[in-house]
Amino acid sequence: DAKTTQPPSMDCAEGRAANLPCNHSTISGNEYVYWYRQIHSQGPQYIIHGLKNNETNEMASLIITEDRKSSTLILPHATLRDTAVYYCIVRAFGGATNKLIFGTGTLLAVQP
Amino acid sequence: EAGVVQSPRYKIIEKKQPVAFWCNPISGHNTLYWYLQNLGQGPELLIRYENEEAVDDSQLPKDRFSAERLKGVDSTLKIQPAELGDSAVYLCASSLGASGTYEQYFGPGTRLTVT
């Protein structure tokens, strides 16, 4: 599985969009980009995943560059409850093993 | 739908004592995972079960750690004896199946402190 690089921390004002970057320059053609988040004292929570097209769900949007070497998770209107560690993970989709390899993630602090 | 249940949520023990963690996955989820999370780090996989079979335990320190999932539902992770370095959060997760098409759902974890 490809490795990812994320900034260790970011701040965002409540109500503003939070844009969390992730670099995955060694991603393979069959690997998807996944995002999870972990709120304090809870287990990780799935947010969204994508291959090459931009994706949107009720939680967030995922923008993947055309060369697929980087992506951005967008929380359109951040709230205090979005304060969490956000993990960007790349792995094969539909592979034989459902293995998640977490890095250290980005601690997003939403400020009032 | 109930999520992944873990107990206890917190445990404090002295070193060299045994400890056990319990996990009840989401109903119908055949695949169960145990992760270890050290402070400031992301979770790391310890063991993965397909029903009652451990299919990936390469990261489980087998000298002191053991796990079981006897009826393919609940699972127990045990440490005996515990060491100071075992202080961490132990997370359980489950998914419908093993392949990468299935999302993993995590429990809240058990925070272990070894003194």
Side-chain angles (χ1 to χ4, degrees):
Chain A
D1 292 329
K3 292 185 178 179
T4 63
T5 303
Q6 299 178 254
S9 64
M10 293 182 63
D11 288 342
C12 177
E14 189 177 20
R16 304 296 294 271
N19 297 283
L20 293 93
C22 180
N23 181 285
H24 32 80
S25 58
T26 60
I27 192 170
S28 300
N30 67 338
E31 289 182 317
Y32 281 63
V33 180
Y34 282 75
W35 284 83
Y36 281 74
R37 75 177 182 184
Q38 187 171 22
I39 295 171
H40 183 63
S41 295
Q42 296 184 23
Q45 174 192 23
Y46 165 83
I47 301 173
I48 198 168
H49 74 275
L51 180 63
K52 55 183 179 180
N53 297 319
N54 298 337
E55 302 288 345
T56 296
N57 62 21
E58 65 279 4
M59 290 182 68
S61 295
L62 174 60
I63 308 298
I64 302 174
T65 58
E66 191 170 344
D67 64 7
R68 302 209 322 121
K69 292 185 177 181
S70 65
S71 61
T72 301
L73 179 74
I74 301 173
L75 307 179
H77 305 286
T79 71
L80 297 178
R81 289 175 294 181
D82 292 321
T83 292
V85 177
Y86 287 77
Y87 297 100
C88 171
I89 300 168
V90 294
R91 68 176 177 90
F93 185 81
T97 61
N98 195 356
K99 189 169 185 177
L100 296 174
I101 299 176
F102 291 85
T104 53
T106 296
L107 174 59
L108 175 68
V110 180
Q111 310 291 342
Chain B
E1 178 182 279
V4 176
V5 179
Q6 291 188 248
S7 69
R9 288 296 314 277
Y10 304 92
K11 187 75 175 179
I12 301 174
I13 62 171
E14 295 183 345
K15 62 181 180 182
K16 300 185 182 179
Q17 295 300 306
V19 65
F21 315 124
W22 176 80
C23 173
N24 180 247
I26 293 173
S27 177
H29 282 196
N30 297 321
T31 308
L32 183 145
Y33 316 76
W34 282 102
Y35 288 83
L36 163 71
Q37 186 171 25
N38 288 305
L39 187 64
Q41 303 295 315
E44 301 172 45
L45 182 68
L46 287 173
I47 189 168
R48 175 171 64 92
Y49 279 93
E50 295 301 327
N51 298 302
E52 61 274 6
E53 182 182 1
V55 294
D56 182 359
D57 63 355
S58 57
Q59 301 304 310
L60 189 72
K62 299 181 182 61
D63 57 335
R64 297 182 300 107
F65 286 66
S66 64
E68 60 183 15
R69 193 185 185 199
L70 294 177
K71 296 184 179 179
V73 181
D74 295 1
S75 177
T76 303
L77 178 68
K78 299 178 181 177
I79 307 175
Q80 183 171 8
E83 297 179 352
L84 294 176
D86 296 331
S87 294
V89 175
Y90 293 83
L91 293 160
C92 179
S94 69
S95 62
L96 276 172
S99 83
T101 58
Y102 297 111
E103 178 185 337
Q104 290 187 32
Y105 295 84
F106 286 79
T110 296
R111 180 176 297 277
L112 173 67
T113 302
V114 182
T115 63

